[in-house]
């Protein structure tokens, strides 16, 4: 940006006006000669304010497939990487010992039930003691519990998918002896996928559920994935001074994988009718949020206009105050002009490079 040269021009022009010098600045209203400049209109457009953060992708749901009992693998009716539905059979153990144990338990239960029913009648007729009755009742309860446990063990010999998803690598083969809690495989739900990020405490007031975000990953550098915030942690990490935030990203093609590193922009505010001009139109930066532009009025006379700046965009800048939509600002030729100068606007084609959307 040509700040040094423009500052000299502005200082000279302001000096001539304030001291009442009889000499006219180049391009003053009384002169016939008009300097050609390129100017563009201040436009109204939506401006999105966002936070640039980093995050990590996580599966929507992910579980280790384990057996709840020891046994021998009988069948693994799935392929690695295969999509499965909720309730689909994944692993079946040899059920022989479980069915035998259940049959024994059921036999003991039937016998104890008959003995208990007989004991109830005998106790009612006062033909047995209370101790004998209690023993019959206890035996009945124990055998009933044993039968229920055997039923559960038989049920545990078959492992079903708890939700729909994609199967991971298979760690066992048919005929293999496994122990309880051994990891047999993994089941992952990838659509939607979640992104987890830690937002600094100073930005916490700007983050809310329902806000949109856009992210990119190294594996697909030209793709942009969009999602929405669904969770903001109710507390701040006292060590990091950050808050955990989670968002859901649609992932129908399963391009995004758990564990990926993501660069993302979290939208915290959208102003629908902001005034925006090319950044090159800023002739002088006064401080962080104030600057000067050369505005061209309807008589093609240049005015030095202080403006308040808002959000910086790619090659453009938001104007909070000091300029109205439709007013023209000079983007090329500022070295040759000063306040009150007469200018001639270049053809519209010359301003085309500055009219590209940000």
């Amino acid at each position: 940006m040509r700040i040094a040269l423009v500052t000299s021009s502005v200082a000279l022009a302001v000096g001539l006006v304030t001291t009442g010098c009889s000499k006219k600045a180049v391009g003053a209203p009384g002169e016939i000669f008009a300097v050609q400049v390129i100017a563009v209109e201040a436009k109204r457009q939506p401006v999105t304010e966002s936070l640039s953060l980093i995050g990590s992708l996580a599966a929507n749901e992910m579980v280790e497939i384990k057996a709840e009992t020891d046994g021998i693998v009988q069948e693994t009716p799935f392929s690695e990487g295969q999509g499965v539905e909720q309730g689909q059979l994944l692993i079946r153990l040899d059920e022989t010992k479980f069915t035998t144990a259940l049959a024994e338990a059921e036999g003991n239960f039937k016998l104890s039930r008959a003995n208990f029913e007989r004991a109830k009648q005998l106790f009612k007729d006062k033909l047995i003691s209370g101790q004998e009755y209690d023993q019959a009742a206890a035996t009945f309860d124990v055998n009933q519990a044993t039968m229920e446990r055997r039923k559960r063990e038989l049920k545990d010999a078959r492992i079903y998918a708890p939700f729909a998803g994609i199967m991971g690598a298979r760690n066992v083969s048919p005929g293999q002896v496994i122990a309880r809690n051994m990891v047999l495989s993994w089941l992952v739900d990838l659509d939607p996928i979640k992104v987890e990020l830690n937002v600094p405490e100073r930005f916490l007031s700007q983050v809310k559920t329902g806000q949109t975000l856009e992210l990119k990953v190294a594996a697909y550098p030209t793709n942009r994935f969009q999602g929405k915030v669904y969770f903001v942690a109710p507390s701040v990490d006292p060590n990091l001074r950050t808050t955990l935030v989670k968002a859901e990203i649609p992932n129908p093609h399963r391009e995004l994988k758990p564990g990926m590193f993501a660069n993302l922009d979290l939208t915290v505010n959208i102003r629908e009718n902001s005034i925006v001009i090319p950044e090159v139109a800023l002739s002088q930066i006064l401080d962080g949020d104030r600057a000067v532009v050369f505005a061209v009025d309807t008589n093609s006379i240049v005015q030095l206009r202080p403006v308040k700046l808002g959000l910086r965009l790619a090659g453009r800048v938001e104007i909070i105050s000091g300029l109205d939509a439709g007013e023209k600002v000079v983007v090329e030729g500022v070295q040759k002009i000063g306040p009150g100068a007469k200018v001639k606007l270049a053809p519209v084609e010359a301003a085309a490079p500055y009219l590209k959307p940000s």
Side-chain angles (χ1 to χ4, degrees):
M1 188 177 294
R2 303 172 294 277
I3 296 176
L5 292 176
V6 176
T7 303
S8 298
S9 299
V10 173
L12 175 60
V14 173
L16 291 175
V17 173
T18 57
T19 58
C21 182
S22 58
K23 294 182 180 180
K24 296 181 179 178
V26 177
E31 293 186 348
I32 299 176
F33 176 74
V35 179
Q36 180 170 283
V37 296
I38 299 177
V40 299
E41 284 188 0
K43 298 285 188 181
R44 285 196 180 275
Q45 70 176 60
V47 169
T48 301
E49 188 175 357
S50 61
L51 298 176
S52 294
L53 302 165
I54 57 175
S56 180
L57 299 185
N60 182 42
E61 301 289 353
M62 182 173 180
V63 295
E64 295 175 330
I65 303 301
K66 296 181 178 181
E68 292 190 49
T69 184
D70 302 337
I72 300 173
V73 176
Q74 185 75 26
E75 183 183 8
T76 57
F78 71 89
S79 300
E80 295 170 308
Q82 171 190 347
V84 297
E85 297 298 325
Q86 182 178 10
Q88 184 172 329
L89 179 65
L90 302 179
I91 304 284
R92 184 169 69 86
L93 304 182
D94 184 3
E95 298 176 354
T96 304
K97 68 176 182 179
F98 302 114
T99 54
T100 302
L102 176 59
E104 180 182 0
E106 287 177 336
N108 291 334
F109 171 71
K110 289 179 181 179
L111 178 59
S112 63
R113 182 174 59 184
N115 290 336
F116 178 55
E117 293 297 331
R118 188 161 40 250
K120 281 197 296 186
Q121 186 60 44
L122 292 174
F123 181 70
K124 182 179 179 181
D125 296 338
K126 299 183 179 181
L127 298 176
I128 60 174
S129 65
Q131 181 180 5
E132 290 175 309
Y133 172 79
D134 291 341
Q135 288 177 339
T139 301
F140 170 74
D141 290 340
V142 168
N143 287 335
Q144 184 178 33
T146 300
M147 182 184 66
E148 295 300 328
R149 186 176 75 250
R150 298 304 184 191
K151 286 181 179 180
R152 179 56 193 261
E153 289 174 350
L154 178 59
K155 182 179 179 181
D156 290 344
R158 299 191 179 197
I159 303 172
Y160 299 91
F163 52 82
I166 306 296
M167 292 303 301
R170 177 164 56 86
N171 296 335
V172 294
S173 299
Q176 182 174 343
V177 178
I178 63 170
R180 183 173 180 268
N181 283 333
M182 178 180 176
V183 178
L184 311 179
S185 186
W186 291 266
L187 177 62
V188 185
D189 178 13
L190 298 178
D191 185 26
I193 200 165
K194 298 174 181 177
V195 59
E196 299 177 351
L197 54 143
N198 292 307
V199 176
E201 180 183 359
R202 64 183 181 275
F203 298 125
L204 187 56
S205 63
Q206 302 179 55
V207 180
K208 299 177 179 62
T209 57
Q211 289 175 329
T212 60
L213 59 76
E214 183 177 82
L215 66 83
K216 59 181 179 180
V217 294
Y220 305 99
T222 60
N223 292 1
R224 297 293 183 271
F225 303 90
Q226 293 185 335
K228 285 190 175 182
V229 173
Y230 74 91
F231 171 77
V232 178
S235 61
V236 175
D237 187 314
N239 297 316
L240 301 176
R241 297 300 174 187
T242 59
T243 296
L244 176 64
V245 175
K246 296 184 180 183
E248 285 187 343
I249 314 294
N251 191 31
H253 304 297
R254 300 183 175 91
E255 297 166 304
L256 301 175
K257 310 292 185 185
M260 280 184 168
F261 178 85
N263 291 293
L264 54 92
D265 294 318
L266 174 63
T267 300
V268 296
N269 190 22
I270 299 178
R271 293 185 285 277
E272 295 292 344
N273 292 301
S274 292
I275 297 174
V276 176
I277 63 173
E279 191 172 18
V280 71
L282 302 180
S283 298
Q284 185 182 9
I285 306 296
L286 301 178
D287 56 34
D289 64 349
R290 295 190 305 124
V292 172
V293 299
F294 283 112
V296 181
D297 64 17
T298 54
N299 297 318
S300 298
I301 303 299
V302 172
Q303 299 176 359
L304 195 62
R305 191 75 63 79
V307 294
K308 184 176 181 181
L309 307 180
L311 191 66
R312 298 294 183 101
L313 309 170
R316 303 174 76 77
V317 62
E318 179 188 20
I319 303 299
I320 301 298
S321 62
L323 201 64
D324 293 327
E327 289 192 279
K328 291 184 172 62
V329 292
V330 178
V331 293
E332 277 193 29
V334 293
Q335 303 95 328
K336 309 172 187 177
I337 60 175
K342 179 79 172 181
V343 294
K344 176 184 178 183
L345 300 183
V348 177
E349 294 78 12
Y354 302 98
L355 299 177
K356 295 179 181 179
S358 56

